[in-house]
Amino acid sequence: MELVVYLAGQIHDNDWRDEIRNRSRDLNLPITFVGPMENHDRSDQIGEEIYGEQLNKILVDDAASDFNNLRTEVLLEKSDIVIACFGEKYKQWNTAMDASTAISKNKPLIVIRPESLVHPLKEIDNKANVVCETPEQAVKALSYIFETE
Amino acid sequence: MELVVYLAGQIHDNDWRDEIRNRSRDLNLPITFVGPMENHDRSDQIGEEIYGEQLNKILVDDAASDFNNLRTEVLLEKSDIVIACFGEKYKQWNTAMDASTAISKNKPLIVIRPESLVHPLKEIDNKANVVCETPEQAVKALSYIFETE
Amino acid sequence: MELVVYLAGQIHDNDWRDEIRNRSRDLNLPITFVGPMENHDRSDQIGEEIYGEQLNKILVDDAASDFNNLRTEVLLEKSDIVIACFGEKYKQWNTAMDASTAISKNKPLIVIRPESLVHPLKEIDNKANVVCETPEQAVKALSYIFETE
Amino acid sequence: MELVVYLAGQIHDNDWRDEIRNRSRDLNLPITFVGPMENHDRSDQIGEEIYGEQLNKILVDDAASDFNNLRTEVLLEKSDIVIACFGEKYKQWNTAMDASTAISKNKPLIVIRPESLVHPLKEIDNKANVVCETPEQAVKALSYIFETE
Amino acid sequence: MELVVYLAGQIHDNDWRDEIRNRSRDLNLPITFVGPMENHDRSDQIGEEIYGEQLNKILVDDAASDFNNLRTEVLLEKSDIVIACFGEKYKQWNTAMDASTAISKNKPLIVIRPESLVHPLKEIDNKANVVCETPEQAVKALSYIFETE
Amino acid sequence: MELVVYLAGQIHDNDWRDEIRNRSRDLNLPITFVGPMENHDRSDQIGEEIYGEQLNKILVDDAASDFNNLRTEVLLEKSDIVIACFGEKYKQWNTAMDASTAISKNKPLIVIRPESLVHPLKEIDNKANVVCETPEQAVKALSYIFETE
Amino acid sequence: MELVVYLAGQIHDNDWRDEIRNRSRDLNLPITFVGPMENHDRSDQIGEEIYGEQLNKILVDDAASDFNNLRTEVLLEKSDIVIACFGEKYKQWNTAMDASTAISKNKPLIVIRPESLVHPLKEIDNKANVVCETPEQAVKALSYIFETE
Amino acid sequence: MELVVYLAGQIHDNDWRDEIRNRSRDLNLPITFVGPMENHDRSDQIGEEIYGEQLNKILVDDAASDFNNLRTEVLLEKSDIVIACFGEKYKQWNTAMDASTAISKNKPLIVIRPESLVHPLKEIDNKANVVCETPEQAVKALSYIFETE
């Protein structure tokens, strides 16, 4: 049995994604990881890249969101589990949106966040299946699904 | 035909909620407004108020989120439309969660946000039915549903 | 038992809507009729009316569709039956969209169309519950739901 | 991860379909394309071909729609994404129906249409994930889902 | 709390429906009963009554089924419970269809049938909530839902 | 806005139900409470009461469960919230079934249980919105949904 | 792309099933056919075969239906299309149940029936995608889904 | 065609699971079996194993349930059939929860239980597809799904 896991979260740095992928590979977990475009600049510019030049910055953002939402919807629908990683920087409303979409679609949700974010994340945490502080803990949770003893 | 509208957003101040309610009442719109507990302190303390004293601050937050999520789930399920208001202060991940829940449940979504938040909100905005900058615009959108000419 | 019926179709003229409403009232059918904004100019300008002036005609149209889709989604969700009326003029892709939404949501669909449109409408007709040529026939279909002998 | 994409649109000419398939193959995208019968005459005659001769032209059309709808329902249900292409000729209500079915089933939708159709398509465009003007743009959107940087 | 109950079954005679309605009224049960057109001739002729004369008997039947299915879909969707009554005469495939629709939509199902039909109905009976032999038993089942001691 | 609350739990004694109903009435909460037959003997005998004498005790139980499940399905479907009360006596698998049905249908769940049952109930508790120890706490949770400050 | 097709219908003789399977194999259609147990005696006796001897014939039937319904539910859920074949003998309420389940689950339905059954099947036929008179026609309908010109 | 079967039930001993797996392997059934962690101590301690030391026993249990529920949700969602085994020891509310989840998600349910538990399990049994007393019977039920004569 193979699982697909969507890695939701900001894309300014992707170390946490690499750690999850590497640890899972080291454990030979039968998991395919998917997620958003991890090149932040390209994610912001994809609207103009495909549609062509836009009239102003609002339209540049709106155009980019067309393609980012298309990608997220397709890949999240294919996923069995969503991991949403929150950090101390950035607004990360996309991450909250993806986490909530997972909950609404009854796809199990693992949240990773530092203890400093307990208060503002308390309602999302409350709905998640697992709330941990490190990618290592998230991978242990994934591994536990496959373990037999 | 009567509609129920959920007013999602931060509860540090509730002026925007009052404005929506007042403007709708002035227009005699047949709408019942629901939403989260608007007393911020009570919202934070409701866990200990009902469950009793908790061992640490994390558990205080977790306890409070039980009751806030219960309330939101019940009232959002009863709603025909969700209005989600984002401002420049606070994390507002709850607001993003409620907006995303509305989208996932195919409940129409109206977002209110200042232009300064276009970039971080672009994917949520892209999924909303209507994205405006003032409560007045949101009420006009509600009113348009009932108008006949 | 009261029913809500959504009257989907072009809004350049609304005689067919008036005929359905009048005939239903004459029969005392316990039906509330809803539908799109019937003032065509206002429907096209509602985007700028609420959002303010737009940069070009494409954005004017995009803005208007925000409010028209909001209205349609809310009212169609409340409906028990959808009547979709096609005529020989105009593109009427909105009408096809609403008819198809009704089918996908398992809401019974009544199509009204002239015989001249049999060929291009054949796949939509094939999915409708009832396909008739006049508003009078559509009202008879509604009335039959309530009749006891 | 492989995706299935349904190519909705008129079948009088299929150049746009060929272009999408060819460009995707050139990019080695792991996509299976499905869609309606592309032989227009056969699509119109399939009812009599299988059921036998019909009494009049209306019944010929009704018979054909049985098989075309069967095919569309089966293949669209298997699809992860729907591309709906509108052109300046023909009624294309089938295309609007398929596009709307995609939206209602929460399957991401890419619309291709010339700028001349902005006004009559504005409500469908508004609900689509991506609205572009050429098959090339649509393929870039598909490709973006698989790209990693 | 009021309930709506759909009375599915043949319409050649309606004594069983009258008995259910009368017994429920005698018990003051807060139930609205709905169901198919109970005038058998009209049910068979409703297609030509509304659409006009048809070319042959197959088309007469097909036309009638448009309106009968419209009625059933609307009223069954409004129902909280379906009672399906099978007797020893007639094909009664409509009754089986309505019973199965109830099961598929998770609407509780009460079957009434004589013991002589146990064998051919065994799979439908097996899925029903309650299987009884008389209308009186069915009404007792309805009454039990409201009783408090 | 009125809510319907289903009171799931054993029916050997119903003091906890009375306490919830009384406290809610004292607070004037706009809630209709529903639940299983509270007369335990009648609940066990309802099968023979309606169907007549059964061949053995297994069939007596099977017959009774027909009517108890019918009642529960109808009333739980009408409910906005489920309260499931577990005590130290009895198997209470019905209560677990109703609690789980609530979760699966995305109906908010309030569990009442003594601290002594934390271990065996830990997975159900983990999925509930609110887990408390007294009926008084459950009523406070209900009341909080309606409070405005 | 492979499809799974459920062959619903009576099992007293299975010639029609063999014909569909043989014709499909001859056309190399990528289809897996599933359906009920085709050994009629075994289907009737499977309850006692697994549960052991039953007290009376009603319980024998009820026991058998447990296993037949289990099988049907599992295999029909796996299916992309349902073919329901009605003949002039037998009650065939199971066939009507399976056909209706297919409709309710939005799985395309092909009905095979002789012209003599038009009248009693008119409402089921009206909901089917395709209604034909021979297995050969049904296979042509399946084949059309895969054909490209 | 391959099936996935979830083996719900207590994990203090797993002989019944071994018997089902062994008998199915002996029959070459194309079935993948999944289920909870079968090492009871590890299941109870998994919360502290991943999250680290907890403040008290309630929190230890709550932490463990995070991971056990994550595992169950993922694997049960992948399953085509659920087998729920009840015995005379332990509370087994998890088993009732999993059985009820299967019912609510329309996944066929096989219950295994000794005759001594008929009374307290009567409502769950009543909703199951198959209720048997031994693992051998459950495997026969699985095998019957694949048999052709």
Side-chain angles (χ1 to χ4, degrees):
Chain A
M1 178 171 291
E2 304 220 335
L3 297 178
V4 178
V5 177
Y6 188 92
L7 298 176
Q10 53 82 17
I11 54 173
H12 295 79
D13 70 87
N14 294 286
D15 293 350
W16 68 276
R17 282 191 180 84
D18 289 334
E19 185 177 350
I20 288 176
R21 286 184 287 229
N22 290 339
R23 284 183 182 278
S24 295
R25 194 177 47 233
D26 292 348
L27 292 169
N28 290 316
L29 299 183
I31 294 177
T32 301
F33 290 100
V34 294
M37 164 55 62
E38 296 179 27
N39 177 331
H40 184 265
D41 285 346
R42 185 141 189 253
S43 169
D44 276 359
Q45 297 158 0
I46 186 66
E48 286 197 305
E49 179 185 320
I50 297 182
Y51 284 152
E53 198 175 352
Q54 301 294 307
L55 291 173
N56 60 33
K57 285 192 60 171
I58 292 180
L59 292 172
V60 169
D61 278 340
D62 190 41
S65 68
D66 277 7
F67 299 98
N68 290 322
N69 279 349
L70 171 70
R71 178 180 176 133
T72 301
E73 282 187 36
V74 171
L75 297 179
L76 203 144
E77 185 62 33
K78 289 286 191 190
S79 301
D80 301 298
I81 300 171
V82 172
I83 296 180
C85 181
F86 290 87
E88 292 181 342
K89 290 190 292 185
Y90 317 114
K91 292 291 187 188
Q92 304 173 90
W93 286 320
N94 273 6
T95 315
M97 179 171 76
D98 294 345
S100 177
T101 301
I103 295 163
S104 296
K105 286 180 175 283
N106 292 317
K107 291 181 188 283
L109 173 67
I110 297 172
V111 166
I112 305 173
R113 55 112 189 83
E115 195 180 312
S116 57
L117 295 180
V118 165
H119 187 67
L121 276 174
K122 67 182 188 293
E123 274 81 20
I124 289 181
D125 284 358
N126 187 264
K127 291 196 168 189
N129 289 60
V130 164
V131 181
C132 50
E133 301 194 3
T134 65
E136 184 181 7
Q137 288 174 315
V139 173
K140 283 183 181 171
L142 294 178
S143 179
Y144 182 65
I145 296 169
F146 297 98
E147 294 171 21
T148 54
E149 60 187 58
Chain B
M1 178 170 290
E2 305 221 334
L3 298 177
V4 178
V5 176
Y6 189 91
L7 298 175
Q10 54 81 17
I11 56 174
H12 294 79
D13 69 87
N14 294 284
D15 294 349
W16 67 276
R17 282 191 180 86
D18 289 334
E19 185 178 349
I20 288 175
R21 286 184 286 231
N22 291 339
R23 284 183 182 277
S24 295
R25 193 178 47 235
D26 292 348
L27 293 168
N28 289 315
L29 300 183
I31 294 177
T32 301
F33 291 100
V34 294
M37 165 55 63
E38 296 177 27
N39 177 330
H40 183 264
D41 286 346
R42 188 146 185 248
S43 170
D44 276 359
Q45 296 158 3
I46 186 65
E48 286 197 305
E49 179 185 321
I50 297 183
Y51 284 153
E53 199 177 349
Q54 301 295 306
L55 290 174
N56 58 34
K57 284 192 62 172
I58 291 180
L59 293 172
V60 169
D61 277 340
D62 189 41
S65 68
D66 278 6
F67 300 98
N68 290 323
N69 279 348
L70 172 70
R71 177 179 177 135
T72 300
E73 282 186 36
V74 171
L75 297 180
L76 204 143
E77 184 63 33
K78 289 285 193 191
S79 300
D80 300 298
I81 301 171
V82 172
I83 296 179
C85 181
F86 290 87
E88 292 182 341
K89 290 191 292 185
Y90 317 114
K91 293 291 189 188
Q92 303 173 94
W93 287 321
N94 273 7
T95 315
M97 179 171 75
D98 294 345
S100 176
T101 302
I103 294 163
S104 296
K105 286 179 175 283
N106 292 318
K107 291 180 187 282
L109 174 67
I110 297 171
V111 167
I112 305 173
R113 54 112 189 85
E115 196 181 311
S116 57
L117 294 180
V118 164
H119 187 66
L121 276 174
K122 68 181 187 293
E123 274 82 19
I124 289 181
D125 284 357
N126 187 265
K127 290 194 167 191
N129 290 59
V130 163
V131 181
C132 48
E133 300 195 4
T134 66
E136 184 180 7
Q137 289 174 316
V139 174
K140 283 183 180 169
L142 296 177
S143 179
Y144 182 66
I145 297 170
F146 298 98
E147 294 170 22
T148 55
E149 61 186 61
Chain C
M1 179 171 290
E2 305 221 334
L3 298 177
V4 178
V5 176
Y6 189 92
L7 298 175
Q10 54 81 17
I11 55 174
H12 295 79
D13 69 87
N14 294 284
D15 293 349
W16 67 276
R17 281 191 180 85
D18 289 334
E19 185 178 350
I20 288 176
R21 286 184 288 230
N22 290 339
R23 285 183 183 277
S24 294
R25 192 177 47 235
D26 291 348
L27 293 169
N28 289 315
L29 300 183
I31 295 177
T32 301
F33 291 100
V34 294
M37 164 55 63
E38 296 178 27
N39 178 330
H40 183 265
D41 285 346
R42 188 147 185 248
S43 170
D44 276 359
Q45 296 158 3
I46 186 66
E48 286 197 304
E49 178 185 321
I50 297 183
Y51 284 153
E53 199 177 349
Q54 301 295 306
L55 291 173
N56 58 34
K57 283 191 62 171
I58 292 180
L59 293 172
V60 169
D61 278 340
D62 189 41
S65 68
D66 277 6
F67 299 98
N68 289 324
N69 279 349
L70 171 70
R71 176 178 177 135
T72 301
E73 282 186 35
V74 171
L75 296 180
L76 203 143
E77 184 63 33
K78 289 287 192 189
S79 300
D80 300 298
I81 300 171
V82 172
I83 296 180
C85 181
F86 290 88
E88 291 181 342
K89 290 191 293 185
Y90 317 114
K91 293 292 189 187
Q92 303 172 91
W93 287 321
N94 273 6
T95 314
M97 179 171 76
D98 294 344
S100 177
T101 302
I103 295 163
S104 295
K105 286 179 174 284
N106 292 317
K107 290 181 188 282
L109 173 67
I110 297 172
V111 167
I112 305 173
R113 54 111 189 86
E115 197 181 309
S116 56
L117 295 180
V118 165
H119 187 66
L121 276 174
K122 67 182 189 293
E123 275 81 19
I124 289 181
D125 283 357
N126 187 264
K127 290 195 167 190
N129 290 60
V130 164
V131 181
C132 48
E133 301 193 3
T134 65
E136 183 180 7
Q137 289 174 316
V139 173
K140 283 182 180 170
L142 295 178
S143 180
Y144 182 64
I145 297 170
F146 297 98
E147 294 170 22
T148 56
E149 60 186 61
Chain D
M1 178 170 292
E2 305 220 336
L3 297 178
V4 179
V5 176
Y6 189 92
L7 298 176
Q10 54 82 18
I11 55 174
H12 296 78
D13 69 87
N14 294 285
D15 294 349
W16 67 276
R17 282 190 179 85
D18 289 334
E19 184 177 351
I20 289 176
R21 285 184 289 230
N22 290 339
R23 285 184 182 278
S24 295
R25 193 178 46 235
D26 292 348
L27 292 169
N28 289 316
L29 300 183
I31 294 177
T32 301
F33 290 99
V34 294
M37 164 55 62
E38 296 179 27
N39 178 330
H40 184 264
D41 285 346
R42 187 147 187 248
S43 170
D44 276 359
Q45 297 159 1
I46 185 66
E48 286 197 305
E49 178 185 322
I50 297 183
Y51 284 153
E53 198 176 351
Q54 300 294 306
L55 291 173
N56 58 34
K57 284 191 59 170
I58 292 181
L59 292 172
V60 169
D61 279 340
D62 190 41
S65 68
D66 278 6
F67 299 98
N68 290 323
N69 279 349
L70 172 70
R71 177 178 176 134
T72 301
E73 282 187 37
V74 172
L75 297 179
L76 203 144
E77 184 63 33
K78 289 285 192 191
S79 300
D80 301 297
I81 300 171
V82 172
I83 296 180
C85 181
F86 290 88
E88 292 181 342
K89 290 190 293 184
Y90 317 114
K91 292 291 188 188
Q92 303 174 92
W93 286 321
N94 274 5
T95 314
M97 179 172 76
D98 295 344
S100 177
T101 302
I103 294 163
S104 295
K105 287 180 175 282
N106 293 317
K107 290 181 188 283
L109 173 68
I110 297 172
V111 167
I112 305 174
R113 54 114 189 84
E115 196 179 312
S116 57
L117 295 179
V118 165
H119 186 66
L121 275 174
K122 67 182 188 294
E123 274 81 20
I124 289 181
D125 284 358
N126 187 264
K127 290 195 167 189
N129 289 60
V130 163
V131 181
C132 49
E133 301 194 2
T134 66
E136 183 180 8
Q137 289 174 316
V139 173
K140 283 183 181 171
L142 295 177
S143 180
Y144 182 65
I145 297 170
F146 297 99
E147 294 170 21
T148 55
E149 61 187 61
Chain E
M1 179 172 289
E2 304 220 335
L3 298 178
V4 178
V5 177
Y6 189 93
L7 298 175
Q10 53 82 17
I11 55 173
H12 295 79
D13 69 86
N14 294 285
D15 293 350
W16 67 275
R17 282 191 180 86
D18 289 334
E19 186 178 350
I20 288 176
R21 287 183 286 229
N22 290 339
R23 283 184 183 277
S24 295
R25 192 176 49 234
D26 292 348
L27 293 169
N28 290 315
L29 299 183
I31 295 177
T32 300
F33 291 100
V34 294
M37 163 55 62
E38 296 178 26
N39 178 331
H40 183 266
D41 286 346
R42 189 147 186 248
S43 170
D44 276 359
Q45 297 159 1
I46 187 65
E48 286 197 304
E49 180 184 321
I50 298 182
Y51 284 152
E53 199 177 349
Q54 301 294 307
L55 291 174
N56 59 34
K57 284 192 60 172
I58 291 180
L59 293 172
V60 170
D61 278 340
D62 190 41
S65 68
D66 278 6
F67 299 97
N68 290 323
N69 279 349
L70 171 71
R71 178 180 176 133
T72 301
E73 282 186 37
V74 171
L75 296 180
L76 204 144
E77 184 63 33
K78 288 286 193 189
S79 300
D80 301 297
I81 300 171
V82 172
I83 296 180
C85 181
F86 291 88
E88 292 180 341
K89 290 191 294 186
Y90 317 114
K91 293 290 187 188
Q92 303 173 92
W93 286 321
N94 274 5
T95 315
M97 179 171 77
D98 294 344
S100 176
T101 302
I103 294 163
S104 295
K105 287 180 174 283
N106 292 316
K107 291 181 187 283
L109 173 67
I110 297 172
V111 167
I112 305 174
R113 55 111 188 87
E115 195 181 311
S116 57
L117 295 180
V118 165
H119 187 67
L121 276 175
K122 67 182 189 292
E123 274 82 19
I124 289 181
D125 283 358
N126 188 265
K127 290 195 167 189
N129 289 61
V130 163
V131 181
C132 50
E133 302 194 1
T134 65
E136 184 181 7
Q137 289 175 317
V139 173
K140 283 183 180 170
L142 295 178
S143 180
Y144 182 65
I145 296 170
F146 297 98
E147 294 170 21
T148 55
E149 60 186 61
Chain F
M1 178 170 291
E2 304 221 334
L3 298 178
V4 178
V5 177
Y6 189 92
L7 298 175
Q10 53 82 18
I11 56 174
H12 296 79
D13 70 86
N14 293 285
D15 293 350
W16 68 275
R17 282 191 179 85
D18 289 334
E19 186 178 350
I20 288 176
R21 286 183 288 229
N22 291 338
R23 285 184 182 277
S24 295
R25 193 177 46 236
D26 292 348
L27 293 169
N28 289 316
L29 301 182
I31 294 177
T32 300
F33 291 99
V34 294
M37 164 55 63
E38 296 178 27
N39 177 331
H40 184 264
D41 286 346
R42 189 146 186 249
S43 169
D44 276 0
Q45 297 159 3
I46 186 66
E48 287 198 304
E49 180 185 321
I50 297 182
Y51 284 152
E53 200 176 348
Q54 301 294 307
L55 291 173
N56 60 34
K57 285 192 60 172
I58 292 180
L59 292 172
V60 170
D61 278 339
D62 189 41
S65 68
D66 277 7
F67 300 97
N68 290 323
N69 279 348
L70 172 70
R71 178 180 176 133
T72 301
E73 282 186 36
V74 170
L75 297 179
L76 203 143
E77 184 63 33
K78 289 285 193 190
S79 300
D80 301 298
I81 300 171
V82 172
I83 296 180
C85 180
F86 290 87
E88 292 181 342
K89 290 191 293 186
Y90 317 115
K91 293 291 188 188
Q92 303 173 94
W93 287 320
N94 274 5
T95 315
M97 179 171 76
D98 294 345
S100 176
T101 301
I103 294 163
S104 296
K105 286 179 175 283
N106 292 318
K107 290 180 188 283
L109 173 67
I110 297 172
V111 167
I112 305 173
R113 55 111 188 86
E115 195 180 311
S116 57
L117 294 180
V118 164
H119 186 67
L121 276 174
K122 67 182 189 292
E123 274 82 19
I124 289 181
D125 284 357
N126 187 265
K127 290 195 167 191
N129 289 60
V130 163
V131 181
C132 50
E133 301 194 3
T134 65
E136 184 181 6
Q137 289 175 315
V139 173
K140 283 182 180 170
L142 295 178
S143 179
Y144 182 65
I145 296 169
F146 298 98
E147 294 170 22
T148 55
E149 60 188 62
Chain G
M1 178 170 291
E2 304 221 335
L3 297 178
V4 179
V5 176
Y6 188 93
L7 298 176
Q10 54 82 18
I11 55 174
H12 295 79
D13 70 85
N14 294 285
D15 294 349
W16 66 276
R17 282 191 179 84
D18 289 334
E19 185 177 350
I20 289 176
R21 286 183 288 230
N22 291 339
R23 284 184 182 278
S24 295
R25 193 179 45 234
D26 292 348
L27 293 169
N28 289 316
L29 300 183
I31 295 177
T32 301
F33 290 100
V34 294
M37 163 55 62
E38 295 178 27
N39 177 331
H40 183 264
D41 285 346
R42 187 146 187 250
S43 169
D44 275 0
Q45 297 158 1
I46 186 66
E48 286 196 306
E49 179 185 320
I50 297 183
Y51 284 153
E53 198 176 352
Q54 301 294 307
L55 291 173
N56 59 34
K57 284 192 59 170
I58 292 179
L59 292 173
V60 169
D61 278 340
D62 189 41
S65 68
D66 278 7
F67 299 98
N68 290 324
N69 279 348
L70 171 70
R71 176 178 177 135
T72 301
E73 282 187 35
V74 171
L75 297 180
L76 204 144
E77 184 63 33
K78 288 287 192 190
S79 301
D80 300 298
I81 301 171
V82 172
I83 296 179
C85 181
F86 290 87
E88 291 181 341
K89 290 191 293 185
Y90 317 113
K91 293 290 188 188
Q92 304 174 93
W93 287 321
N94 273 6
T95 315
M97 180 171 77
D98 294 345
S100 177
T101 302
I103 295 163
S104 295
K105 287 179 175 282
N106 292 317
K107 290 180 189 283
L109 172 68
I110 297 171
V111 167
I112 305 173
R113 54 113 189 84
E115 195 180 312
S116 57
L117 295 179
V118 165
H119 186 67
L121 276 175
K122 67 181 188 293
E123 273 82 20
I124 289 181
D125 284 358
N126 187 264
K127 290 196 168 188
N129 290 60
V130 164
V131 181
C132 48
E133 301 194 4
T134 66
E136 184 180 7
Q137 289 174 316
V139 173
K140 284 183 181 170
L142 295 178
S143 180
Y144 182 64
I145 297 171
F146 297 99
E147 294 170 22
T148 55
E149 59 186 61
Chain H
M1 178 171 292
E2 304 221 336
L3 298 178
V4 179
V5 177
Y6 189 91
L7 298 176
Q10 53 83 17
I11 55 174
H12 295 79
D13 70 86
N14 294 286
D15 294 350
W16 67 277
R17 282 191 179 85
D18 289 334
E19 185 177 350
I20 288 176
R21 286 184 288 230
N22 291 339
R23 285 184 182 277
S24 295
R25 193 177 47 234
D26 292 349
L27 293 169
N28 289 317
L29 300 183
I31 294 177
T32 301
F33 291 100
V34 295
M37 164 54 63
E38 296 179 27
N39 177 331
H40 183 265
D41 285 347
R42 186 144 187 251
S43 169
D44 276 359
Q45 296 158 1
I46 186 66
E48 286 197 307
E49 180 185 320
I50 297 182
Y51 284 153
E53 199 176 351
Q54 301 294 306
L55 290 174
N56 59 33
K57 284 192 59 170
I58 291 180
L59 292 173
V60 170
D61 279 340
D62 189 41
S65 67
D66 278 6
F67 299 98
N68 289 324
N69 279 349
L70 172 70
R71 177 179 177 135
T72 301
E73 282 187 36
V74 171
L75 297 179
L76 204 144
E77 185 63 34
K78 289 285 192 190
S79 300
D80 301 298
I81 300 171
V82 172
I83 296 180
C85 181
F86 290 88
E88 292 181 340
K89 290 190 293 185
Y90 317 114
K91 293 291 188 188
Q92 303 173 91
W93 287 320
N94 274 4
T95 315
M97 180 171 76
D98 294 344
S100 177
T101 301
I103 295 162
S104 296
K105 287 180 175 282
N106 293 317
K107 290 181 188 284
L109 173 67
I110 297 171
V111 167
I112 305 173
R113 55 111 188 85
E115 195 178 313
S116 58
L117 295 180
V118 165
H119 186 67
L121 276 174
K122 66 182 188 293
E123 274 81 20
I124 289 180
D125 284 357
N126 187 264
K127 291 196 168 189
N129 289 60
V130 163
V131 181
C132 50
E133 300 194 3
T134 66
E136 184 180 7
Q137 289 174 316
V139 174
K140 284 182 180 170
L142 295 178
S143 179
Y144 182 65
I145 297 169
F146 298 98
E147 294 171 21
T148 54
E149 60 187 58

